[in-house]
Amino acid sequence: MKIEESYVFLRNVRFHAFHGVLPQERQVGGEFLLSLRVGYPLAKAMESDEMGDTLNYATLFNLVKQEMDIPSQLLEHVSGRIAKAIMTVFPGVTSIDLELTKQNPPMGADSDGAGVEMHWER
């Protein structure tokens, strides 16, 4: 049996952060949802049951949190920083799928949110 692809993910992680182009967004902040799927070879961990053979999702969360804590005007900028940090810290990562949603964005519409989705490959 061979694993074709494997991933570690964080789904709908909630953050209060200060991203946006409007001054109020940078002062008061807003609510954000982040979903992340990181391609990583998990076959060794499947056999060994050792933390060192996988991508620790708590460490992944802390890395994302560090980047979310840095205010930015654009979600594209935040997303790019998150991806660069993950690729730097975890050299075994093969791909990243990231969705970052600003809940209740100030655009004059009733919506669940607006944001960006990006896909990177090493």
Side-chain angles (χ1 to χ4, degrees):
M1 178 169 61
K2 178 183 174 191
I3 298 174
E4 292 293 325
E5 296 179 10
S6 52
Y7 304 92
V8 171
F9 66 89
L10 302 175
R11 184 171 293 140
N12 291 328
V13 181
R14 300 178 196 289
F15 293 94
H16 184 86
F18 298 87
H19 308 307
V21 294
L22 299 178
Q24 179 182 352
E25 295 177 288
R26 302 294 290 270
Q27 290 176 348
V28 176
E31 301 304 313
F32 295 83
L33 284 178
L34 179 129
S35 290
L36 184 66
R37 187 173 84 148
V38 179
Y40 195 82
L42 299 175
K44 190 172 180 183
M46 191 174 82
E47 297 297 325
S48 72
D49 198 28
E50 295 292 330
M51 181 62 75
D53 292 333
T54 190
L55 195 156
N56 183 321
Y57 53 81
T59 304
L60 185 62
F61 165 76
N62 287 325
L63 187 62
V64 170
K65 183 178 180 331
Q66 286 176 349
E67 297 302 327
M68 286 297 291
D69 285 344
I70 301 169
S72 293
Q73 291 188 79
L74 302 178
L75 298 183
E76 294 86 344
H77 184 69
V78 179
S79 299
R81 283 198 331 263
I82 290 169
K84 286 178 189 174
I86 291 169
M87 291 281 195
T88 299
V89 171
F90 301 108
V93 165
T94 59
S95 66
I96 299 172
D97 290 292
L98 184 149
E99 180 179 318
L100 182 56
T101 304
K102 180 185 290 189
Q103 297 186 297
N104 196 27
M107 61 183 188
D110 183 18
S111 73
D112 289 336
V116 297
E117 288 185 42
M118 297 185 181
H119 173 80
W120 294 268
E121 290 190 23
R122 189 176 298 272

